[in-house]
C-alpha cells in the first residue's frame, strides 16, 4: 500500500510541475503580446493623404470583403467603393488589393 501512495505523490508532483511550467510560459507569451502591440501609425496615414473613408475601405478589404460587400457595409454604391480602392492603390503605389494590404501592413497603417 505504501508503494501505491508514493507513486501517486510522484505523479502529483510531476503534474503540478507541468502546471506551473505551462502557467509561466503562458504569462511570458502574453507579456510579449502586450509589450509589442500592433499600433497603427496615424501620422503615416495622414502623410499618404488617405481619407477616413478610404481607410474604412482598406480595413474592409483586409477582412477579405468584395466591393459589393464593402458598399453594403458602408452604405455607399459599389462604384464609390471602386473609386476609393483605385485611390488607395495609387496612394500606396500598389497594383492589386493584396499588394496594397501588404504595403499597408509594412507601413503599419493597418492592424493585423
Amino acid at each position: 500500500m505504501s508503494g501505491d501512495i508514493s507513486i501517486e505523490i510522484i505523479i502529483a508532483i510531476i503534474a503540478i510541475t507541468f502546471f506551473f511550467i505551462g502557467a509561466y510560459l503562458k504569462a511570458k507569451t502574453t507579456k510579449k503580446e502586450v509589450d509589442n502591440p500592433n499600433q497603427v501609425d496615424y501620422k503615416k496615414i495622414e502623410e499618404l493623404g488617405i481619407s477616413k473613408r478610404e481607410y474604412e475601405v482598406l480595413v474592409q478589404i483586409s477582412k477579405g470583403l468584395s466591393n459589393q460587400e464593402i458598399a453594403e457595409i458602408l452604405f455607399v454604391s459599389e462604384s464609390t467603393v471602386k473609386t476609393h480602392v483605385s485611390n488607395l492603390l495609387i496612394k500606396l503605389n500598389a497594383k492589386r488589393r493584396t499588394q496594397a494590404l501588404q504595403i499597408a501592413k509594412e507601413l503599419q497603417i493597418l492592424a493585423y
Side-chain angles (χ1 to χ4, degrees), residues 49-79:
I50 297 174
S51 71
K52 181 180 177 186
R53 194 55 131 178
E54 289 169 345
Y55 187 74
E56 291 173 349
V57 170
L58 183 63
V59 169
Q60 297 305 319
I61 291 172
S62 73
K63 295 177 181 177
L65 300 179
S66 68
N67 289 344
Q68 182 61 45
E69 291 168 325
I70 295 170
E72 291 171 4
I73 290 171
L74 299 179
F75 302 106
V76 295
S77 70
E78 188 174 357
S79 67

mmCIF file of all heavy atoms in Angstrom, residues 49-79:
data_model
loop_
_atom_site.group_PDB
_atom_site.id
_atom_site.type_symbol
_atom_site.label_atom_id
_atom_site.label_comp_id
_atom_site.label_asym_id
_atom_site.label_seq_id
_atom_site.Cartn_x
_atom_site.Cartn_y
_atom_site.Cartn_z
ATOM 1 N N GLY A 49 -2.072 60.849 -47.385
ATOM 2 C CA GLY A 49 -3.273 61.519 -47.869
ATOM 3 C C GLY A 49 -4.474 60.590 -47.966
ATOM 4 O O GLY A 49 -5.379 60.824 -48.775
ATOM 5 N N ILE A 50 -4.481 59.550 -47.163
ATOM 6 C CA ILE A 50 -5.602 58.604 -47.170
ATOM 7 C C ILE A 50 -6.736 59.180 -46.323
ATOM 8 O O ILE A 50 -6.551 59.488 -45.152
ATOM 9 C CB ILE A 50 -5.161 57.232 -46.624
ATOM 10 C CG1 ILE A 50 -4.092 56.633 -47.539
ATOM 11 C CG2 ILE A 50 -6.352 56.292 -46.478
ATOM 12 C CD1 ILE A 50 -3.479 55.354 -47.025
ATOM 13 N N SER A 51 -7.902 59.332 -46.962
ATOM 14 C CA SER A 51 -9.054 59.892 -46.253
ATOM 15 C C SER A 51 -9.631 58.871 -45.280
ATOM 16 O O SER A 51 -9.318 57.675 -45.338
ATOM 17 C CB SER A 51 -10.136 60.307 -47.258
ATOM 18 O OG SER A 51 -10.735 59.159 -47.834
ATOM 19 N N LYS A 52 -10.506 59.363 -44.417
ATOM 20 C CA LYS A 52 -11.134 58.478 -43.435
ATOM 21 C C LYS A 52 -11.931 57.377 -44.131
ATOM 22 O O LYS A 52 -11.866 56.215 -43.750
ATOM 23 C CB LYS A 52 -12.052 59.304 -42.517
ATOM 24 C CG LYS A 52 -12.733 58.479 -41.460
ATOM 25 C CD LYS A 52 -13.632 59.312 -40.585
ATOM 26 C CE LYS A 52 -14.366 58.434 -39.588
ATOM 27 N NZ LYS A 52 -15.351 59.161 -38.816
ATOM 28 N N ARG A 53 -12.651 57.736 -45.171
ATOM 29 C CA ARG A 53 -13.480 56.764 -45.888
ATOM 30 C C ARG A 53 -12.612 55.759 -46.651
ATOM 31 O O ARG A 53 -12.911 54.570 -46.672
ATOM 32 C CB ARG A 53 -14.420 57.495 -46.837
ATOM 33 C CG ARG A 53 -15.531 56.639 -47.363
ATOM 34 C CD ARG A 53 -16.304 56.007 -46.229
ATOM 35 N NE ARG A 53 -17.715 56.211 -46.430
ATOM 36 C CZ ARG A 53 -18.646 55.752 -45.646
ATOM 37 N NH1 ARG A 53 -18.334 55.060 -44.575
ATOM 38 N NH2 ARG A 53 -19.900 55.980 -45.879
ATOM 39 N N GLU A 54 -11.519 56.235 -47.231
ATOM 40 C CA GLU A 54 -10.602 55.321 -47.913
ATOM 41 C C GLU A 54 -10.008 54.330 -46.908
ATOM 42 O O GLU A 54 -9.851 53.148 -47.216
ATOM 43 C CB GLU A 54 -9.484 56.091 -48.610
ATOM 44 C CG GLU A 54 -9.947 56.860 -49.832
ATOM 45 C CD GLU A 54 -8.917 57.830 -50.370
ATOM 46 O OE1 GLU A 54 -7.937 58.142 -49.669
ATOM 47 O OE2 GLU A 54 -9.115 58.289 -51.516
ATOM 48 N N TYR A 55 -9.701 54.820 -45.715
ATOM 49 C CA TYR A 55 -9.159 53.944 -44.691
ATOM 50 C C TYR A 55 -10.194 52.901 -44.270
ATOM 51 O O TYR A 55 -9.865 51.743 -44.058
ATOM 52 C CB TYR A 55 -8.676 54.743 -43.480
ATOM 53 C CG TYR A 55 -7.952 53.876 -42.477
ATOM 54 C CD1 TYR A 55 -6.668 53.426 -42.734
ATOM 55 C CD2 TYR A 55 -8.567 53.482 -41.300
ATOM 56 C CE1 TYR A 55 -6.002 52.606 -41.836
ATOM 57 C CE2 TYR A 55 -7.912 52.662 -40.388
ATOM 58 C CZ TYR A 55 -6.633 52.228 -40.663
ATOM 59 O OH TYR A 55 -5.983 51.404 -39.779
ATOM 60 N N GLU A 56 -11.451 53.313 -44.161
ATOM 61 C CA GLU A 56 -12.520 52.364 -43.833
ATOM 62 C C GLU A 56 -12.616 51.271 -44.898
ATOM 63 O O GLU A 56 -12.806 50.098 -44.580
ATOM 64 C CB GLU A 56 -13.858 53.087 -43.701
ATOM 65 C CG GLU A 56 -13.956 53.992 -42.480
ATOM 66 C CD GLU A 56 -15.219 54.838 -42.457
ATOM 67 O OE1 GLU A 56 -15.938 54.877 -43.491
ATOM 68 O OE2 GLU A 56 -15.491 55.452 -41.425
ATOM 69 N N VAL A 57 -12.465 51.668 -46.159
ATOM 70 C CA VAL A 57 -12.490 50.703 -47.257
ATOM 71 C C VAL A 57 -11.291 49.759 -47.135
ATOM 72 O O VAL A 57 -11.423 48.541 -47.294
ATOM 73 C CB VAL A 57 -12.503 51.415 -48.629
ATOM 74 C CG1 VAL A 57 -12.271 50.432 -49.766
ATOM 75 C CG2 VAL A 57 -13.820 52.156 -48.827
ATOM 76 N N LEU A 58 -10.118 50.302 -46.815
ATOM 77 C CA LEU A 58 -8.919 49.488 -46.650
ATOM 78 C C LEU A 58 -9.106 48.450 -45.545
ATOM 79 O O LEU A 58 -8.725 47.284 -45.696
ATOM 80 C CB LEU A 58 -7.706 50.373 -46.356
ATOM 81 C CG LEU A 58 -6.362 49.683 -46.217
ATOM 82 C CD1 LEU A 58 -5.963 49.002 -47.524
ATOM 83 C CD2 LEU A 58 -5.293 50.687 -45.794
ATOM 84 N N VAL A 59 -9.708 48.852 -44.451
ATOM 85 C CA VAL A 59 -9.967 47.918 -43.346
ATOM 86 C C VAL A 59 -10.905 46.802 -43.811
ATOM 87 O O VAL A 59 -10.688 45.625 -43.491
ATOM 88 C CB VAL A 59 -10.558 48.660 -42.124
ATOM 89 C CG1 VAL A 59 -11.072 47.690 -41.082
ATOM 90 C CG2 VAL A 59 -9.512 49.593 -41.523
ATOM 91 N N GLN A 60 -11.921 47.152 -44.566
ATOM 92 C CA GLN A 60 -12.866 46.135 -45.057
ATOM 93 C C GLN A 60 -12.193 45.205 -46.067
ATOM 94 O O GLN A 60 -12.469 44.006 -46.095
ATOM 95 C CB GLN A 60 -14.103 46.805 -45.671
ATOM 96 C CG GLN A 60 -14.919 47.627 -44.701
ATOM 97 C CD GLN A 60 -15.360 46.853 -43.470
ATOM 98 O OE1 GLN A 60 -15.755 45.694 -43.568
ATOM 99 N NE2 GLN A 60 -15.290 47.493 -42.319
ATOM 100 N N ILE A 61 -11.290 45.742 -46.877
ATOM 101 C CA ILE A 61 -10.533 44.916 -47.815
ATOM 102 C C ILE A 61 -9.705 43.898 -47.028
ATOM 103 O O ILE A 61 -9.602 42.736 -47.413
ATOM 104 C CB ILE A 61 -9.624 45.778 -48.714
ATOM 105 C CG1 ILE A 61 -10.458 46.605 -49.684
ATOM 106 C CG2 ILE A 61 -8.632 44.912 -49.480
ATOM 107 C CD1 ILE A 61 -9.650 47.624 -50.468
ATOM 108 N N SER A 62 -9.124 44.349 -45.922
ATOM 109 C CA SER A 62 -8.293 43.456 -45.109
ATOM 110 C C SER A 62 -9.105 42.304 -44.523
ATOM 111 O O SER A 62 -8.548 41.275 -44.155
ATOM 112 C CB SER A 62 -7.587 44.230 -43.990
ATOM 113 O OG SER A 62 -8.495 44.599 -42.979
ATOM 114 N N LYS A 63 -10.402 42.480 -44.437
ATOM 115 C CA LYS A 63 -11.281 41.418 -43.948
ATOM 116 C C LYS A 63 -11.673 40.458 -45.067
ATOM 117 O O LYS A 63 -12.412 39.508 -44.846
ATOM 118 C CB LYS A 63 -12.545 42.017 -43.321
ATOM 119 C CG LYS A 63 -12.268 42.825 -42.072
ATOM 120 C CD LYS A 63 -13.540 43.438 -41.538
ATOM 121 C CE LYS A 63 -13.254 44.275 -40.298
ATOM 122 N NZ LYS A 63 -14.492 44.931 -39.810
ATOM 123 N N GLY A 64 -11.193 40.752 -46.289
ATOM 124 C CA GLY A 64 -11.454 39.869 -47.424
ATOM 125 C C GLY A 64 -12.790 40.095 -48.099
ATOM 126 O O GLY A 64 -13.279 39.215 -48.800
ATOM 127 N N LEU A 65 -13.373 41.266 -47.913
ATOM 128 C CA LEU A 65 -14.688 41.537 -48.483
ATOM 129 C C LEU A 65 -14.591 42.029 -49.924
ATOM 130 O O LEU A 65 -13.616 42.667 -50.317
ATOM 131 C CB LEU A 65 -15.419 42.582 -47.636
ATOM 132 C CG LEU A 65 -15.659 42.200 -46.174
ATOM 133 C CD1 LEU A 65 -16.368 43.334 -45.448
ATOM 134 C CD2 LEU A 65 -16.467 40.928 -46.060
ATOM 135 N N SER A 66 -15.614 41.748 -50.694
ATOM 136 C CA SER A 66 -15.692 42.221 -52.076
ATOM 137 C C SER A 66 -16.164 43.675 -52.093
ATOM 138 O O SER A 66 -16.625 44.210 -51.072
ATOM 139 C CB SER A 66 -16.676 41.365 -52.865
ATOM 140 O OG SER A 66 -18.002 41.584 -52.390
ATOM 141 N N ASN A 67 -16.064 44.301 -53.265
ATOM 142 C CA ASN A 67 -16.533 45.686 -53.390
ATOM 143 C C ASN A 67 -18.013 45.804 -53.039
ATOM 144 O O ASN A 67 -18.424 46.752 -52.364
ATOM 145 C CB ASN A 67 -16.294 46.208 -54.811
ATOM 146 C CG ASN A 67 -14.829 46.440 -55.095
ATOM 147 O OD1 ASN A 67 -14.001 46.500 -54.185
ATOM 148 N ND2 ASN A 67 -14.491 46.583 -56.366
ATOM 149 N N GLN A 68 -18.819 44.838 -53.491
ATOM 150 C CA GLN A 68 -20.256 44.871 -53.208
ATOM 151 C C GLN A 68 -20.515 44.758 -51.707
ATOM 152 O O GLN A 68 -21.347 45.486 -51.159
ATOM 153 C CB GLN A 68 -20.979 43.748 -53.966
ATOM 154 C CG GLN A 68 -22.478 43.744 -53.758
ATOM 155 C CD GLN A 68 -23.149 45.017 -54.236
ATOM 156 O OE1 GLN A 68 -22.857 45.510 -55.319
ATOM 157 N NE2 GLN A 68 -24.035 45.562 -53.429
ATOM 158 N N GLU A 69 -19.804 43.871 -51.040
ATOM 159 C CA GLU A 69 -19.984 43.699 -49.595
ATOM 160 C C GLU A 69 -19.547 44.952 -48.837
ATOM 161 O O GLU A 69 -20.214 45.377 -47.882
ATOM 162 C CB GLU A 69 -19.182 42.493 -49.106
ATOM 163 C CG GLU A 69 -19.722 41.165 -49.604
ATOM 164 C CD GLU A 69 -18.790 39.998 -49.360
ATOM 165 O OE1 GLU A 69 -17.552 40.179 -49.427
ATOM 166 O OE2 GLU A 69 -19.297 38.893 -49.101
ATOM 167 N N ILE A 70 -18.459 45.561 -49.281
ATOM 168 C CA ILE A 70 -17.988 46.803 -48.645
ATOM 169 C C ILE A 70 -19.019 47.903 -48.837
ATOM 170 O O ILE A 70 -19.322 48.652 -47.907
ATOM 171 C CB ILE A 70 -16.617 47.220 -49.215
ATOM 172 C CG1 ILE A 70 -15.559 46.181 -48.856
ATOM 173 C CG2 ILE A 70 -16.212 48.606 -48.708
ATOM 174 C CD1 ILE A 70 -14.229 46.367 -49.578
ATOM 175 N N ALA A 71 -19.569 47.993 -50.043
ATOM 176 C CA ALA A 71 -20.586 49.008 -50.335
ATOM 177 C C ALA A 71 -21.793 48.851 -49.413
ATOM 178 O O ALA A 71 -22.308 49.842 -48.887
ATOM 179 C CB ALA A 71 -21.019 48.910 -51.798
ATOM 180 N N GLU A 72 -22.213 47.621 -49.187
ATOM 181 C CA GLU A 72 -23.365 47.375 -48.311
ATOM 182 C C GLU A 72 -23.060 47.759 -46.865
ATOM 183 O O GLU A 72 -23.907 48.340 -46.187
ATOM 184 C CB GLU A 72 -23.780 45.905 -48.398
ATOM 185 C CG GLU A 72 -24.383 45.538 -49.733
ATOM 186 C CD GLU A 72 -24.609 44.043 -49.904
ATOM 187 O OE1 GLU A 72 -24.362 43.276 -48.952
ATOM 188 O OE2 GLU A 72 -25.020 43.645 -51.015
ATOM 189 N N ILE A 73 -21.862 47.461 -46.412
ATOM 190 C CA ILE A 73 -21.496 47.776 -45.029
ATOM 191 C C ILE A 73 -21.370 49.277 -44.815
ATOM 192 O O ILE A 73 -21.812 49.809 -43.797
ATOM 193 C CB ILE A 73 -20.181 47.060 -44.655
ATOM 194 C CG1 ILE A 73 -20.430 45.560 -44.542
ATOM 195 C CG2 ILE A 73 -19.600 47.606 -43.357
ATOM 196 C CD1 ILE A 73 -19.185 44.731 -44.383
ATOM 197 N N LEU A 74 -20.768 49.983 -45.791
ATOM 198 C CA LEU A 74 -20.522 51.419 -45.633
ATOM 199 C C LEU A 74 -21.660 52.290 -46.170
ATOM 200 O O LEU A 74 -21.570 53.517 -46.130
ATOM 201 C CB LEU A 74 -19.200 51.799 -46.329
ATOM 202 C CG LEU A 74 -17.943 51.116 -45.779
ATOM 203 C CD1 LEU A 74 -16.719 51.554 -46.568
ATOM 204 C CD2 LEU A 74 -17.762 51.401 -44.307
ATOM 205 N N PHE A 75 -22.699 51.635 -46.693
ATOM 206 C CA PHE A 75 -23.870 52.344 -47.225
ATOM 207 C C PHE A 75 -23.495 53.326 -48.332
ATOM 208 O O PHE A 75 -23.903 54.499 -48.331
ATOM 209 C CB PHE A 75 -24.624 53.085 -46.101
ATOM 210 C CG PHE A 75 -25.084 52.181 -45.007
ATOM 211 C CD1 PHE A 75 -24.455 52.177 -43.772
ATOM 212 C CD2 PHE A 75 -26.140 51.310 -45.207
ATOM 213 C CE1 PHE A 75 -24.865 51.335 -42.757
ATOM 214 C CE2 PHE A 75 -26.565 50.454 -44.200
ATOM 215 C CZ PHE A 75 -25.926 50.462 -42.973
ATOM 216 N N VAL A 76 -22.691 52.838 -49.268
ATOM 217 C CA VAL A 76 -22.333 53.615 -50.462
ATOM 218 C C VAL A 76 -22.526 52.704 -51.666
ATOM 219 O O VAL A 76 -22.760 51.512 -51.538
ATOM 220 C CB VAL A 76 -20.870 54.121 -50.405
ATOM 221 C CG1 VAL A 76 -20.680 55.124 -49.275
ATOM 222 C CG2 VAL A 76 -19.885 52.980 -50.282
ATOM 223 N N SER A 77 -22.400 53.293 -52.866
ATOM 224 C CA SER A 77 -22.543 52.481 -54.074
ATOM 225 C C SER A 77 -21.258 51.709 -54.343
ATOM 226 O O SER A 77 -20.186 52.056 -53.839
ATOM 227 C CB SER A 77 -22.873 53.366 -55.273
ATOM 228 O OG SER A 77 -21.751 54.141 -55.622
ATOM 229 N N GLU A 78 -21.382 50.688 -55.153
ATOM 230 C CA GLU A 78 -20.217 49.884 -55.498
ATOM 231 C C GLU A 78 -19.204 50.702 -56.294
ATOM 232 O O GLU A 78 -17.992 50.547 -56.123
ATOM 233 C CB GLU A 78 -20.638 48.650 -56.287
ATOM 234 C CG GLU A 78 -19.503 47.674 -56.524
ATOM 235 C CD GLU A 78 -19.953 46.387 -57.191
ATOM 236 O OE1 GLU A 78 -21.161 46.198 -57.423
ATOM 237 O OE2 GLU A 78 -19.059 45.559 -57.475
ATOM 238 N N SER A 79 -19.682 51.615 -57.125
ATOM 239 C CA SER A 79 -18.747 52.457 -57.896
ATOM 240 C C SER A 79 -17.962 53.390 -56.979
ATOM 241 O O SER A 79 -16.795 53.693 -57.251
ATOM 242 C CB SER A 79 -19.486 53.241 -58.982
ATOM 243 O OG SER A 79 -20.343 54.198 -58.410
#
